[in-house]
Amino acid sequence: MMDWTDRHCRAFHRTLSRRTLLYTEMVTAPAVLHGDQDYLLGFSDVEHPISLQLGGSDPEQLAQAAKVGERYGYDEINLNVGCPSDRVQSGRFGACLMKEPELVAECMAAIKEAVSVPATVKCRIGVDDQDPEISLFATVDACAAVGITDFTVHARKAWLKGLSPKENRDIPPLDYDLVKRLKKERPHLTIGINGGIASLEQALELLQPYDGVALDGVMIGRAAYHEPSLLGQADRLIYEDDTADTDIFDALEAYKPYIAGQLERGINLAGITRHLLGSMHGRPGARAFRRILTVEGVKSGAGLDVLDRAMDAVREAEARHQQDADHNVDAA
């Protein structure tokens, strides 16, 4: 989710769900240690609970970066052992680390020793010609041996040779059963699943007991980004909170003070509202909503009135749609 789940995206998603754990984009340990930490790690208090996802393969650097993350107030430090991009491979971190489970364990031991918040792993089931039944268990077991108990598994291989990062999100087949088997054979570990999950209904299915053992969590990435309104049901469906779903219009209204604050800091509106483009997915007026935000949002001085116009376009389209439906009923 690099270049997607920035602080503006996360603040918006928090208006839809109080309970869902949010993740940062992957930030490399060297960037944290040598870059602009406020820019890379700064976030709003409304985003809690939030996990800082780090990339790297140097235990000492990762430990130092984890300490910085804890100092900034993150609730969890997560090591990415799943990203398949070319840049990640050249830097010896991400999915290529599936080939070095002992190094992953060294990194996790260093992170765990450095911080008091949970240290967790997100990994693939394997890469290239690895046998996932060996590579996944080897990575998890090596980390478990140093005291790591929380894993999220993207249930696909990553092909580092021959497939682009985009293709790696879709082409390698999903193997949910292997992740379920991992939980069954390692019931003392916290195992979450990721990959190809397009709805909360599918998430609920994956959380059902399997041979008497249930997975502990589900991570949804692209679906939640492209159709954020689904998060408005998460607290009720996934966490079983006795609460009403969050309507997307209410979420956008709740997000406006955050936008106003960012505009006062000189942030361009389009850099914020680009994360809202899927908000009206499947609703009348969705195209007009996207067009207004993308065309008007980039203009100099663009403000909250742009979002208001976009929301009004949807309300008007829905009203027309309802009138047409009523008319058709009367005609029948």
Side-chain angles (χ1 to χ4, degrees):
M1 304 296 286
M2 292 172 69
D3 298 323
W4 288 16
T5 54
D6 65 14
R7 61 190 303 176
H8 308 311
C9 172
R10 299 189 306 264
F12 171 51
H13 284 180
R14 183 56 70 213
T15 66
L16 288 153
S17 170
R18 294 181 301 105
R19 301 283 301 277
T20 302
L21 176 65
L22 302 178
Y23 284 75
T24 68
E25 308 164 88
M26 183 180 67
V27 185
T28 67
V32 170
L33 299 179
H34 306 297
D36 184 338
Q37 292 180 351
D38 286 342
Y39 173 77
L40 292 170
L41 301 182
F43 67 97
S44 169
D45 285 342
V46 302
E47 296 176 46
H48 291 291
I50 179 171
S51 174
L52 170 62
Q53 187 172 92
L54 294 175
S57 58
D58 183 297
E60 183 177 348
Q61 285 186 341
L62 285 165
Q64 294 174 8
K67 286 181 179 179
V68 175
E70 184 177 38
R71 190 163 66 244
Y72 266 80
Y74 284 94
D75 301 296
E76 172 185 295
I77 307 297
N78 178 265
L79 180 64
N80 184 303
V81 191
C83 183
S85 77
D86 294 338
R87 182 163 64 88
V88 162
Q89 293 180 55
S90 64
R92 199 188 176 201
F93 53 93
C96 63
L97 287 178
M98 292 296 297
K99 298 179 179 180
E100 301 182 78
E102 295 304 325
L103 176 57
V104 176
E106 289 179 32
C107 292
M108 292 310 303
I111 293 172
K112 186 176 187 299
E113 177 68 21
V115 298
S116 60
V117 297
T120 68
V121 176
K122 181 178 186 289
C123 65
R124 291 269 181 154
I125 61 174
V127 295
D128 297 336
D129 294 322
Q130 286 184 316
D131 180 346
E133 296 193 9
I134 297 175
S135 57
L136 174 60
F137 282 75
T139 298
V140 169
D141 287 345
C143 292
V146 298
I148 304 302
T149 61
D150 195 318
F151 302 83
T152 299
V153 183
H154 186 149
R156 303 181 197 269
K157 268 190 178 185
W159 287 93
L160 305 179
K161 300 176 183 178
L163 292 181
S164 69
K166 182 178 185 301
E167 290 170 331
N168 264 302
R169 294 194 297 265
D170 297 302
I171 292 178
L174 289 160
D175 193 346
Y176 292 153
D177 286 342
L178 181 62
V179 183
K180 292 177 180 178
R181 199 184 105 198
L182 174 68
K183 176 60 182 180
K184 179 175 174 58
E185 297 184 13
R186 308 289 190 273
H188 59 290
L189 299 178
T190 299
I191 305 295
I193 194 166
N194 172 237
I197 301 167
S199 68
L200 294 185
E201 289 71 24
Q202 184 183 4
L204 286 170
E205 288 181 13
L206 288 168
L207 291 171
Q208 295 304 306
Y210 174 80
D211 283 353
V213 178
L215 290 168
D216 299 292
V218 170
M219 176 186 282
I220 302 179
R222 285 173 294 157
Y225 187 89
H226 292 304
E227 191 178 347
S229 59
L230 69 83
L231 288 173
Q233 307 171 64
D235 291 352
R236 176 179 60 85
L237 289 177
I238 303 299
Y239 296 96
E240 299 181 343
D241 280 4
D242 184 17
T243 182
D245 293 346
T246 303
D247 179 77
I248 192 64
F249 282 103
D250 292 338
L252 290 171
E253 291 292 343
Y255 190 46
K256 284 182 180 179
Y258 175 86
I259 297 176
Q262 295 301 308
L263 292 175
E264 289 177 1
R265 294 178 55 207
I267 304 298
N268 182 272
L269 180 69
I272 305 170
T273 56
R274 70 187 182 96
H275 302 299
L276 312 183
L277 298 181
S279 298
M280 299 299 170
H281 176 82
R283 301 179 75 143
R287 182 178 297 178
F289 179 85
R290 294 192 300 271
R291 177 181 53 78
I292 292 170
L293 291 185
T294 54
V295 173
E296 301 296 324
V298 297
K299 294 181 178 178
S300 177
L304 282 172
D305 59 301
V306 174
L307 178 58
D308 288 333
R309 291 201 300 274
M311 294 168 66
D312 286 342
V314 177
R315 293 188 179 101
E316 292 167 4
E318 290 189 329
R320 290 194 299 271
H321 180 78
Q322 186 60 50
Q323 289 174 353
D324 290 343
D326 293 343
H327 176 75
N328 290 337
V329 170
D330 292 340

